Every structure is written in structure tokens, then in C-alpha cells.
Amino acid sequence: MTPVPLPSPPLRDLALSRQHLDRAGVNRVSPSRLAELWASPGTRVLQVHAGRAPVVSTPAGPRLVLRAPAEVPAPGPDDLQLYLGVDDGVHHVAVVSPDAEPETTDGAGGGEEWRGLREVGEQLPARDAGLFTEALSMGNWHAVTRFSPRTGQPLVPASSGWVKVEPDGKEHFPRTDAAVIMAVISPDDELLLGHQPVWPENRYSVLAGFVEPGECFEDTVRREAFEEAGIVVGSEPDDVRYLGSQPWPFPASLMVGFAARAVTTDIKVDGDEIALARWFSREQLAEELAAGRVLPPPGVSIARRLIEAWYGGPIPVPDERPWA
């Protein structure tokens, strides 16, 4: 029997993965570097408040509002100051605050809106999406990495926000949690989609799971498909195929995308991470989407792109609803 064909790599132009910024790590080292950049009128500052950044609409789509240092309020004691990198000779820094965005009087914002990355990440140009993703990722890491896991002592930011240091000089570096996300495809060329208990009714997506210590990506794909849905993925090298990756700062993941060839089809969900799972033909998925009985993952996500790689093009979604 001829194995069902899998989508071929790569997934091009993934939202949040199209980063053109030079992070210029050498510029992080000097203790005075951030102060020098704040004193330069040529520096551009991205403000992030409670996960949201200022965005303005243009004929070409939404764009981040990046300000000169003199136009930005002085950072507060709980705000993170972070060097982001350089683009076309312009240095960019971020101020990441846990507080809600500042209020503006009517007309004072110049048409600005404070938006989240899930809302606008797909429409932002590559540089802006990269800046927002980087700042949000680092802000999330700093928010949960406040004390030393060795001693319990407070940690202090260093290296322009890219390191946290203990009083004795021990350094702690940002972490990224690797996770696989996969389009599992049956011998009849149907796609497996699952529903998590915490999602709104009818929300479905592809399966995903975190990589465990000592485990390769391909083995994680096989383990998660079986644990979450009782589906066995083939053991041949080509039964799990890499398609692309996407940083996902909610809060700190790198989503590594695959297509996987199932050799069984009887579904047995774990009832914990996955409450429901179904196989869909292309015709069934289009019908369920049109009727609103299936809500897909957001367009900004690699999950949507994996579904579309199997489907053969953009899926017919009558309206986009916020992911919740």
C-alpha cells in the first residue's frame, strides 16, 4: 500500500518567524549601553504594557509605533529595559511594563491602539513582528524569573536585559520551551484535530506537546499523538516530516512544526489535555467551518499553517473570532 503523501517543507513566511532584525548581541555587554541609547535621539523605543503595544493603521496595514527616547515616559522601577537590536543602522530598545497601557485623551493618541501580538502579529511587517515577539518573550521571562532557584535571593537584570544575576555573580539566561506541533494524517488522507477542555466550544486545532529531556522532536511527535489521542504514528524516518518553526511567546515556547503519518485511526483521547478529537476529510472540514461547528486556530499561528499545508491552501473561514 502506498503511504499517504505528507506536506513538504518548508512553510514559508510564517508569522512571527520572519525576523530581519540584527540582534547584535555584542551591544548587550557594556553596562552603559542602554544609558547611551536612551541619550541618543536616533534610538527607537517600543513600549509594551501588559502584553500590548501601540499600533497605528496605515494603508499598508498595522505598524508598531516606535518613539524617540524623549517621547517615552521614564521607565518605572518594575519596568524591564531591553536592547532589541539594530535595523538599517537604527538601534531599538524596549520598555516592558506589567502595568496597563497609559490612558490618552481624545485625539492624543493620533489614531493609535494598544493591541496584543495574537491580534496583529500576522499583519505586522517582519521587523515589527520580530520586535514585538522579542520584547514580549523577554518580558515574560523576566516576570517569572525573579529569584535564584539556588538561593532564593533576588535577581538583577544585566547585559541590557538579557541576563539576570545573583549577588555572587551567578548568571541566569533566558529559557525557551521547545514544543512540537503536528498535522497527523490518516492512511485515508484525513487530518486529526483535537479540542482542549479549556477552549471555547467548537474550537479545534492540531495536536501539540512539550519536548521532554533526552527526547528528540520526532519521538515527541509520536509520544504526544499516542498520549493525547491514542494514535500510533509510523516508525519509518519519513513518517514524521519537519515543516517549520515559530516562536510563540505565550509565554515562552518555540513551536516546531511537523506532518506525521498515522498507522492507526481509532481515537482514544486522554480526557485531560484533549477532550475531543476527530478525523476530517477536506470536504468535511470545509463544511464544518462554513457552518461554524469548527473554529480553527488563529491565522497568526503555525497551527493554522499546518492545517492549510494539508488542506492545500487557505481554509474557508467565514469570520475570525478571537482565540480564547
Side-chain angles (χ1 to χ4, degrees), residues 174-196:
R175 62 172 292 171
T176 295
D177 299 323
V180 299
I181 183 166
M182 57 277 195
V184 179
I185 300 169
S186 78
D188 293 325
D189 201 16
E190 295 179 321
L191 179 67
L192 181 66
L193 297 180
H195 170 79
Q196 290 190 12

Side-chain angles (χ1 to χ4, degrees), residues 92-117:
H92 294 75
V93 301
V95 177
V96 184
S97 173
D99 300 328
E101 62 266 20
E103 294 184 4
T104 58
T105 58
D106 291 343
E112 297 173 17
E113 294 182 297
W114 289 79
R115 307 287 294 276
L117 185 61

Side-chain angles (χ1 to χ4, degrees), residues 175-179 210 251-255:
R175 62 172 292 171
T176 295
D177 299 323
F210 288 106
S253 296
L254 175 65
M255 307 303 296

Side-chain angles (χ1 to χ4, degrees), residues 245-270:
S245 65
Q246 181 185 52
W248 193 247
F250 306 106
S253 296
L254 175 65
M255 307 303 296
V256 186
F258 293 88
R261 187 179 286 119
V263 295
T264 67
T265 57
D266 290 339
I267 295 171
K268 185 178 180 180
V269 297
D270 63 7

